[in-house]
Amino acid sequence: MSRVTGILEFVARSESSVRLADLVNELDAPRSSVHGLVHGLVSTGYLQATEDGRYTLGNAVRALLINPSAQDQRVRAAMEALHLEFDETVTLVMLAGDCIIYTEAIESSHVVRYTPVLGVRRPLYPTSAGKCYLAYAPEKYREKYLNRHVPAVAKRSQVLEELEKVRVDGYAVNAGETLPDLQAVSAPVFDNERVCAVITVAGPISRFSDKIDEIIRETRDTAARASVGRG
């Protein structure tokens, strides 16, 4: 069994988060080697670091699950409501390291529609879902990410202004930034103060233009109802 597999299986069967020392003891391996593997698993989203320096399984593991019943019923109901309202493609988006992953989708019945690929990593920026995660991320992480992926100072300043607006308004929009004639509206789902998922409605700009305000309002309000621990 590889050390990476050993780490994931040990964390998966643990009843609570684990310490680096626990992993070192379990694998009977040098601390430096285990630390490097853990760092790689965190950066790719297979492990998640807690504030007190412990580790739990990350959202990338969720993307490997085939059974959609693993998704939270509250969020699934919210997605179905949005799909029925607008008949556009609705996706559930999770954070995996420095990327996002579509973990579930309800596709539009229109012939021309957005068809997402599940389980494939996509960049945080400029996707609308990624904007939501960046907007609510710790400031140091957000700055570090943008320094790597948006090298132009003037552009980075514009992105920061955009992300601040996302925080204030509670939603993000992507209009042709990733694919021509594709518009997407995303809103964060919270578990207390943490963004645990993002719900996205996406489709052709030509269909969105007449109803964009309504899509924004319903997406934001639906994600808020699916959230827990926020007033």
Side-chain angles (χ1 to χ4, degrees):
M1 180 177 64
S2 73
R3 288 177 177 174
V4 169
T5 304
I7 290 171
L8 292 174
E9 291 189 352
F10 179 71
V11 176
R13 65 175 180 265
S14 298
E15 295 182 357
S16 60
S17 56
V18 303
R19 303 172 302 164
L20 180 63
D22 298 329
L23 292 168
V24 170
N25 291 335
E26 172 69 14
L27 298 178
D28 190 23
R31 183 183 181 90
S32 59
S33 299
V34 176
H35 181 268
L37 294 173
V38 168
H39 178 76
L41 289 169
V42 170
S43 67
T44 52
Y46 288 96
L47 289 181
Q48 179 173 316
T50 64
E51 292 183 357
D52 58 355
R54 301 169 72 93
Y55 300 96
T56 60
L57 289 179
N59 287 325
V61 174
R62 191 177 191 180
L64 301 177
L65 300 176
I66 298 175
N67 185 357
S69 67
Q71 303 294 353
D72 181 77
Q73 292 182 357
R74 180 197 292 256
V75 176
R76 176 70 189 192
M79 294 173 62
E80 291 174 347
L82 280 173
H83 179 258
L84 289 172
E85 180 75 18
F86 300 110
D87 193 14
E88 298 293 353
T89 298
V90 180
T91 56
L92 182 65
V93 188
M94 308 298 292
L95 183 67
D98 286 346
C99 301
I100 56 167
I101 294 177
Y102 296 125
T103 60
E104 189 170 356
I106 308 174
E107 290 193 25
S108 166
S109 66
H110 292 288
V111 175
V112 178
R113 63 181 181 268
Y114 177 55
T115 302
V117 180
L118 302 185
V120 174
R121 293 172 182 271
R122 302 190 63 210
L124 288 173
Y125 192 85
T127 61
S128 59
K131 291 176 185 178
C132 288
Y133 280 114
L134 283 171
Y136 292 92
E139 183 178 356
K140 288 185 177 179
Y141 172 83
R142 183 166 54 247
E143 291 183 353
K144 183 178 179 181
Y145 178 89
L146 293 178
N147 285 339
R148 291 200 310 269
H149 297 279
V150 187
V153 175
K155 175 63 175 178
R156 193 159 62 241
S157 178
Q158 293 175 2
V159 173
L160 287 170
E161 290 181 5
E162 180 185 14
L163 295 178
E164 178 58 29
K165 190 174 188 302
V166 171
R167 282 183 63 89
V168 172
D169 295 341
Y171 70 90
V173 174
N174 177 329
E177 295 174 72
T178 51
L179 292 172
D181 193 38
L182 176 68
Q183 185 149 14
V185 175
S186 293
V189 177
F190 289 90
D191 180 357
N192 294 301
E193 296 304 311
R194 181 179 69 88
V195 177
C196 62
V198 171
I199 294 176
T200 296
V201 181
I205 292 177
S206 56
R207 280 207 304 267
F208 270 50
S209 58
D210 292 337
K211 54 185 178 180
I212 185 62
D213 290 341
E214 186 180 359
I215 291 175
I216 288 172
R217 182 177 63 252
E218 290 299 323
T219 303
R220 181 183 57 199
D221 292 351
T222 300
R225 289 193 296 270
S227 299
V228 296
R230 286 173 67 92

